[in-house]
Amino acid sequence: MSVRAHGRGLRVLLALLALAVLYGALVQLGARALAGHRFDLTADHLYTLAPGTVEIARSPREPVLLTLYFSRHAARALPQLRAYAQRVRTLLDEVARISGGRVRVQVLDPRPYSQIEDRALAAGLSALPVGPDGERVIFGLVGSNATTGIAVIPFLQPDKQPFLEYDVARLIDELITTRRPRVGLISGLPVEGTPASADAPAQPPWTAFQQLNQLFRIQPLDGRSLRAVPADLRVLLLVQPDMLSARAVAAIHAFLLRGGHLAVFIDPDPETLPPAQALASAGASWAALRPLLEDCGVGFDPDRVVIDPSLARSVAAVPGAAPTADPALLGLGRAELSRDDVITAGLHDINVSTAGSFEQSENARLHMTPLLQSSGDARALPVQRVLDAAVDPQQLLDGADAARARYVLAARLTGALAPGARPADIVLVADTDILSNRLWVQLLPFFNQSLTSPFANNADFLLNTIDNLSGSSALISIRGRAEASRPFTRLRAMQAAAEQAFRERRLALRQKLDAAEQRLLEIEQARSAPGAAVNLDAGEYRAARQQRTEVRDDLRRSERHLDARIERLQARIEALDILLVPGVLTLAALLIAAWRRLRGGAP
């Protein structure tokens, strides 16, 4: 009986060894047979390039070199940045693979004071200081070819990971585009300035449009005589187009049907015009655009202004008066800006004034995505009431309608206007004051010139909008992707606990460091004073310096110990997560097999 059992156990062991060898052989054969083939089994297809990215990667007529600069040594204590660098490298390798040799990738480590670091900084990459020793991390991308020079991403920000693929595709598209995109402009406001007249001096273009002219070729169009949108225009920009004829609207509609892109800024109260003219302009603009926007399934009320006491900015209603909160002048922050659209994802602060809002009908052909929104404390009031309260904006809150809602102040529309038509991309903004200088920039005189000092991202919003819409259809089709990082929630809790355990020690060490540096400063000041006892202070000065060095070393040891502890925790949890379930299943299978054999061999 024992011999039979021993023989049965030996056969089981040999069978397991044979299965292991067979498994290894199958893995090797599969790796060789499937070389060059990839399967993305992630939930959001994180490693599958969008069709637009594939099209752009295969577009260069001459080779494009993408150089990724990453300071590996300086980022050794930044595990999240190292993980993101690996994600960037994986994406770049996939772009190079799919390009068929048109895109090449190289990775360089710009160590301090090296020629590689000099090249990275000369190309325009940013070097961010990290750690107490002043080390700098360079983590940027430089694209180059033989024709158009270079294009750069100064720093690859981990918080912009959903737009990494878009940014890389945009960089390649910028290199293969040899001419600045042409943008058509129809405006009922003096955005391009006004010439001098007998009654008034010349006025310069609005600063946002001066910047726009540096990046794009702006072609003014006459909304009264327009019969067809020029074929070489990528984007049509409408700013309070109160002079549009019916034929011009039909031409814009045809432009959208063939896949054109449109940006519209329309305002119920354009404050850059006198009040009576502003109301007339608002009514005329909506009357002209109404057929087009209603065909898109979008409504707009030119007689209603959004007020929002939660977002009100403080202004002086008259010169010399104390600033008061104006609920019609809104400061939009991160909570009011879309984090999921490339136009607004990197912006932080946008100001709007006497803005309107958009609504979408139930049977709309196009999909509407909000870009700018009010808070949930907003209300809509008649324009005339807002004009009447110009001297005392707080009057707008007296007896206001109690109904509160979140209004869409700007939106993106995507889709086809008709069956068989090419997809169109439209950005709607219910405010034109967002473009005026007073809401985002301060102009400082400097030797007969003006220096711009922006205090909001209004111009960035305009530039991002036109930049996105003027790209190729392939580029516009690339949207934000899901986050590639999915950390273990248990690991995060353990990391927080570990950091809490070391927090008090770090705080005590930093207090000691501050005290040592303060003492050094006092001794320096005392030694520089007339008649100072230099010899008397020398010993204390050396002791203070020694204490500072020891405290810094202790801080570094504490940080390294904390990082090592967190990495051990992460390794244990990942090992359990990866091996526990297969191990349990294997053990259960072996136990069941052994139980069946024992049962079958029982008398």
Side-chain angles (χ1 to χ4, degrees):
M1 182 68 178
S2 60
V3 174
R4 284 203 307 269
H6 179 73
R8 188 182 300 115
L10 183 60
R11 285 195 298 272
V12 170
L13 179 61
L14 291 175
L16 290 175
L17 289 175
L19 287 174
V21 172
L22 179 61
Y23 174 77
L26 288 175
V27 169
Q28 293 297 323
L29 290 174
R32 293 176 180 272
L34 298 177
H37 300 276
R38 301 189 178 192
F39 303 95
D40 187 354
L41 302 179
T42 57
D44 298 298
H45 301 288
L46 296 173
Y47 299 97
T48 301
L49 298 180
T53 306
V54 175
E55 181 179 339
I56 291 174
R58 293 173 176 173
S59 297
R61 296 182 178 179
E62 60 178 353
V64 170
L65 176 63
L66 299 181
T67 303
L68 176 64
Y69 291 89
F70 178 57
S71 305
R72 296 182 181 276
H73 182 74
R76 63 191 181 280
L78 303 171
Q80 291 183 344
L81 194 63
R82 294 201 310 270
Y84 186 51
Q86 183 59 44
R87 167 75 179 117
V88 173
R89 176 65 188 272
T90 301
L91 175 68
L92 296 179
D93 288 343
E94 182 65 11
V95 169
R97 185 188 70 85
I98 209 72
S99 72
R102 296 175 180 84
V103 177
R104 296 185 295 110
V105 175
Q106 67 174 351
V107 182
L108 300 177
D109 184 358
R111 290 185 172 269
Y113 311 111
S114 65
Q115 293 184 351
I116 296 178
E117 182 187 57
D118 294 340
R119 285 165 51 191
L121 297 177
L125 300 189
S126 301
L128 301 186
V130 295
D133 297 330
E135 287 187 290
R136 300 189 304 174
V137 168
I138 296 176
F139 183 30
L141 185 64
V142 177
S144 60
N145 62 8
T147 304
T148 54
I150 67 171
V152 303
I153 300 176
F155 197 88
L156 291 159
Q157 304 175 37
D159 60 349
K160 289 191 66 180
Q161 179 172 328
F163 301 98
L164 172 62
E165 183 177 341
Y166 176 88
D167 290 338
V168 172
R170 179 70 183 86
L171 183 142
I172 299 174
D173 188 67
E174 183 178 345
L175 285 171
I176 63 180
T177 302
T178 57
R179 300 182 65 186
R180 290 186 301 166
R182 188 185 296 274
V183 177
L185 172 64
I186 299 176
S187 177
L189 303 179
V191 297
E192 293 194 299
T194 57
S197 64
D199 300 327
Q203 295 296 325
W206 294 5
T207 305
F209 283 83
Q210 293 180 25
Q211 296 182 2
L212 195 67
N213 268 291
Q214 295 173 3
L215 301 175
F216 306 94
R217 293 181 295 162
I218 306 300
Q219 179 178 343
L221 301 174
D222 187 351
R224 300 178 184 87
S225 60
L226 184 68
R227 296 295 181 268
V229 177
D232 62 341
L233 290 185
R234 291 192 179 183
V235 182
L236 188 57
L237 173 60
L238 309 181
V239 182
Q240 202 70 8
D242 52 13
M243 77 302 288
L244 280 180
S245 66
R247 287 189 177 183
V249 173
I252 296 172
H253 190 268
F255 172 71
L256 294 174
L257 289 176
R258 67 174 189 257
H261 308 308
L262 179 67
V264 178
F265 289 76
I266 183 173
D267 196 332
D269 178 25
E271 298 176 359
T272 51
L273 298 177
Q277 187 179 350
L279 295 180
S281 175
S285 297
W286 171 240
L289 290 174
R290 183 171 183 170
L292 179 63
L293 295 187
E294 287 188 346
D295 192 38
C296 297
V298 176
F300 173 83
D301 189 346
D303 188 47
R304 308 290 284 184
V305 168
V306 175
I307 67 167
D308 192 336
S310 298
L311 303 176
R313 292 287 195 191
S314 294
V315 293
V318 294
T324 58
D326 185 352
L329 176 58
L330 312 182
L332 310 179
R334 282 184 172 270
E336 291 76 43
L337 276 61
S338 171
R339 298 291 96 194
D340 300 322
D341 194 285
V342 68
I343 292 177
T344 51
L347 307 183
H348 307 283
D349 189 11
I350 291 179
N351 295 325
V352 298
S353 184
T354 59
S357 62
F358 299 107
E359 294 182 353
Q360 190 173 34
S361 63
E362 295 182 359
N363 300 321
R365 291 190 179 95
L366 305 185
H367 175 69
M368 185 169 81
T369 304
L371 298 178
L372 306 178
Q373 291 181 282
S374 68
S375 75
D377 195 30
R379 284 154 278 183
L381 297 180
V383 175
Q384 191 58 52
R385 182 171 175 184
V386 175
L387 294 175
D388 294 340
V391 177
D392 183 10
Q394 285 294 307
Q395 293 179 5
L396 296 175
L397 301 179
D398 298 336
D401 187 358
R404 301 175 182 178
R406 196 169 195 200
Y407 292 86
V408 177
L409 310 179
R412 184 198 285 270
L413 304 178
T414 52
L417 281 172
R422 298 182 61 183
D425 215 309
I426 304 172
V427 173
L428 303 177
V429 185
D431 187 38
T432 59
D433 306 308
I434 187 176
L435 306 174
S436 64
N437 291 352
R438 78 177 187 92
L439 290 190
W440 72 274
V441 67
Q442 184 179 11
L443 300 180
L444 306 174
F446 181 77
F447 291 100
N448 296 324
Q449 295 182 347
S450 292
L451 298 181
T452 59
S453 176
F455 52 83
N457 297 126
N458 293 29
D460 298 324
F461 175 76
L462 173 65
L463 296 177
N464 287 356
T465 298
I466 303 304
D467 180 65
N468 179 249
L469 296 180
S470 64
S472 64
S473 298
L475 183 64
I476 295 174
S477 69
I478 305 171
R479 303 298 186 196
R481 306 297 291 271
E483 294 281 354
S485 175
R486 292 187 174 184
F488 299 104
T489 55
R490 177 60 178 163
L491 176 62
R492 280 186 169 177
M494 296 177 74
Q495 287 177 339
E499 290 175 356
Q500 179 64 33
F502 281 89
R503 186 171 300 165
E504 294 183 1
R505 175 166 176 76
R506 284 204 304 263
L507 180 60
L509 288 173
R510 284 172 181 163
Q511 289 176 347
K512 289 179 64 176
L513 180 62
D514 292 341
E517 291 180 342
Q518 178 63 28
R519 184 55 187 156
L520 284 173
L521 179 61
E522 292 173 355
I523 294 174
E524 287 283 0
Q525 293 174 347
R527 293 177 68 178
S528 61
V534 176
N535 294 333
L536 181 63
D537 291 333
E540 187 177 3
Y541 184 75
R542 285 196 297 271
R545 289 190 59 184
Q546 180 65 26
Q547 183 182 12
R548 182 179 66 178
T549 302
E550 292 175 353
V551 172
R552 283 181 172 176
D553 291 341
D554 205 354
L555 267 173
R556 280 194 290 269
R557 283 194 297 271
S558 297
E559 296 290 346
R560 285 197 296 268
H561 182 59
L562 176 60
D563 289 341
R565 181 175 177 181
I566 290 175
E567 288 178 358
R568 286 196 299 270
L569 291 174
Q570 181 173 350
R572 285 202 297 269
I573 291 178
E574 289 179 348
L576 286 174
D577 186 77
I578 294 171
L579 300 177
L580 182 60
V581 174
V584 169
L585 292 176
T586 302
L587 180 60
L590 291 174
L591 289 174
I592 292 173
W595 177 73
R596 286 180 175 177
R597 280 192 169 86
L598 290 174
R599 186 178 179 184

